[in-house]
Amino acid sequence: MKASFQAAEPQPLVRSKTRRARHHPRPGRLVSVSLLLFLSWLGIGIFIASAIAMWRTGDSLAGWSALGGLVLFTLGRISSFVLGRHVNCTLCHGPVLHEKRCHKHAEAFKITPLSYRSSTVAAILSTGGFRCMYCGTPYRLKK
């Protein structure tokens, strides 16, 4: 008797091991807080460089630029704290740009000399996405 159906050889299913990044509902707030934190780092760099220049040369212009760097650092930190305290992960409800003292997820993104928050800011500004440091969920900022 002849079989009317001939099955093909089984093909293995190809599954992706990585999860697709989720869309974060407040990308504008994340980018603005990240830019404010970057400006505060720039302000502390200006302060240190100008303080060294003022110490070496005694120039009053270097003193004014050191004071401007210190003001930029202070305003950047305060405004990033105010704007970023209610930006949470949509899954675990952990703060995205504030570090808590609890354990971080094994898949959390961290650049070695930086903290988890600094690494998150660098990822947001350079790639347009980040990974939650508490649950490890990848997020993207574009829809």
Side-chain angles (χ1 to χ4, degrees):
M1 180 165 175
K2 184 176 175 184
S4 62
F5 176 74
Q6 182 74 23
E9 289 192 29
Q11 298 290 329
L13 293 176
V14 178
R15 293 190 183 194
S16 175
K17 296 256 182 197
T18 59
R19 293 181 285 183
R20 184 170 183 261
R22 299 170 57 97
H23 172 68
H24 197 275
R26 299 178 86 174
R29 176 72 61 99
L30 279 170
V31 170
S32 63
V33 172
S34 298
L35 284 174
L36 286 170
L37 284 170
F38 180 73
L39 284 177
S40 70
W41 295 333
L42 187 66
I44 199 68
I46 291 171
F47 171 73
I48 290 172
S50 299
I52 291 172
M54 185 180 70
W55 177 67
R56 284 189 166 183
T57 63
D59 187 19
S60 65
L61 181 63
W64 284 107
S65 62
L67 184 63
L70 192 60
V71 167
L72 182 65
F73 172 74
T74 304
L75 290 177
R77 286 293 175 152
I78 290 171
S79 56
S80 68
F81 175 76
V82 170
L83 290 175
R85 64 183 166 170
H86 295 296
V87 179
N88 296 328
C89 175
T90 56
L91 289 179
C92 69
H93 303 289
V96 174
L97 294 173
H98 286 282
E99 282 194 51
K100 298 188 300 186
R101 292 186 175 225
C102 59
H103 291 286
K104 308 301 187 267
H105 195 269
E107 294 180 5
F109 176 69
K110 183 175 187 294
I111 301 171
T112 303
L114 301 177
S115 66
Y116 283 100
R117 178 174 70 169
S118 302
S119 300
T120 302
V121 168
I124 288 173
L125 293 178
S126 63
T127 64
F130 68 97
R131 188 177 283 270
C132 178
M133 65 181 95
Y134 302 109
C135 66
T137 304
Y139 283 96
R140 66 184 189 281
L141 300 181
K142 291 183 179 179
K143 272 203 168 192

